[in-house]
Amino acid sequence: MNRAAHRRRDTQWLADAWKRAQVLVVDADGRALVDTSTRPYELILVAADAAPDGDRLFLGEDDEQVYFAVRGELPAETGGPEPHTVRAVGASLGARDAGLFVEAVALANWHDNIAYDPVTGAPTQARDGGWVRVSEGGAQIFPRTDPAMIVLVHDGVAGPAGRALLGRQAEWPPGRYSTLAGFVEPGESAEAAVVREVAEETGVAVTDVRYVGSQPWPFPASLMLGFSALADPAQPIRRVDEELEDARWFTRDEIRAQRDANRVMPMTTSIAYYLISNWLDGII
């Protein structure tokens, strides 16, 4: 799908496009109606005249269709489609629907948090298809994304004896461990954030930090930058900032057994799952 940024300032085109648009309705909890009887799952999109009132957020277009999102009460459905979050169903949606869902949730979250100018306190209004908010004084405020790093730390050893360093937060389901993560601080590169966060959370020094890929994470507004890094398992683990309940090294065989049994792994929608799976398969 083409986000078609050049359309956002064309108010007449947006007005005409709305009349023929398919609209994704996202409620206050970030849920949309999803048909889980299909493979892949499908979002339930409604015609413009069936959408609730609210800011019309232009998501983009493809060869045949224009897409908008609106924050509001979900359409009433009898049987079949049910409300789900992108966390729950993102990995089971097709590429178009997954992209629409993440974009809509991220944009709606931003609008919820910027009803007033953060400098003057003046009310703001949506413009440009929902991609800018303007205050009474004319100041323009654009959507923001918070960069965060997430890293698979491993010992560089091939085969089943190779180990990875995973951590656990207290609020997670019993037994779940995952990759280490944290926000990039002002004036800091993403690579430097990897080194700092791993040291703060586990006391372990890492080297050979390598970028792997990224994932938008609209909970509420992050971009996860995925890395791999090397470390020596002989280093003592010290939870310096006490953000983690526990951290420990796991062998490939231990993690693969958890994954193959569908036990307490990170969500399959997450880049954490992607990093771990690629390490298990020897890709990183």
Side-chain angles (χ1 to χ4, degrees):
M1 190 191 66
N2 180 5
R3 292 196 175 195
H6 64 288
R7 302 285 198 190
R8 295 172 185 171
R9 294 188 177 182
D10 189 335
T11 55
Q12 186 59 56
W13 185 90
L14 290 171
D16 293 338
W18 172 258
K19 299 173 185 176
R20 57 187 174 87
Q22 287 191 313
V23 182
L24 177 62
V25 181
V26 178
D27 72 9
D29 296 319
R31 303 179 305 170
L33 287 180
V34 181
D35 184 354
T36 59
S37 68
T38 64
R39 293 295 183 275
Y41 294 172
E42 293 182 355
L43 294 174
I44 301 300
L45 304 172
V46 301
D49 59 6
D53 292 334
D55 290 331
R56 300 172 181 177
L57 311 180
F58 173 57
L59 302 180
E61 60 182 345
D62 57 26
D63 293 335
E64 302 177 354
Q65 189 59 58
V66 178
Y67 303 97
F68 283 77
V70 173
R71 175 81 92 187
E73 187 175 346
L74 298 180
E77 294 282 342
T78 303
E82 297 178 348
H84 291 283
T85 66
V86 68
R87 281 178 183 264
V89 300
S92 299
L93 292 167
R96 184 208 67 171
D97 282 9
L100 286 173
F101 203 171
V102 172
E103 183 183 1
V105 170
L107 200 52
N109 287 346
W110 174 71
H111 280 277
D112 288 348
N113 293 323
I114 203 68
Y116 299 92
D117 187 314
V119 176
T120 67
T124 61
Q125 292 185 331
R127 294 285 190 273
D128 296 1
W131 288 91
V132 64
R133 292 190 74 92
V134 181
S135 70
E136 293 175 346
Q140 294 184 331
I141 307 167
F142 296 92
R144 302 299 298 269
T145 296
D146 300 321
M149 74 83 208
I150 186 166
V151 60
L152 190 288
V153 178
H154 64 100
D155 62 1
V157 175
R163 287 182 285 178
L165 176 62
L166 304 180
R168 167 175 171 74
Q169 295 186 11
E171 64 268 23
W172 288 351
R176 174 177 290 172
Y177 285 75
S178 187
T179 47
L180 308 179
F183 285 103
V184 179
E185 294 186 343
E188 183 178 49
S189 70
E191 292 82 359
V194 170
V195 176
R196 175 184 55 78
E197 284 284 351
V198 174
E200 289 177 354
E201 294 186 356
T202 68
V204 171
V206 298
T207 61
D208 198 24
V209 178
R210 298 189 181 191
Y211 176 74
V212 177
S214 64
Q215 179 186 31
W217 195 247
F219 308 111
S222 298
L223 176 65
M224 304 302 298
L225 305 172
F227 293 87
S228 66
L230 294 179
D232 182 356
Q235 298 180 70
I237 293 176
R238 297 178 293 106
R239 292 178 287 116
V240 178
D241 60 12
E242 296 297 330
E243 287 190 12
L244 298 177
E245 180 184 66
D246 188 29
R248 53 178 287 229
W249 291 88
F250 294 83
T251 68
R252 272 194 177 86
D253 276 353
E254 288 174 325
I255 299 175
R256 185 175 286 111
Q258 293 288 84
R259 183 188 66 172
D260 293 347
N262 293 318
R263 294 179 190 151
V264 294
M265 289 283 288
M267 293 174 295
T268 56
T269 54
S270 67
I271 192 171
Y273 186 90
Y274 175 83
L275 291 170
I276 292 172
S277 294
N278 275 267
W279 175 74
L280 287 177
D281 296 337
I283 298 173
I284 60 173

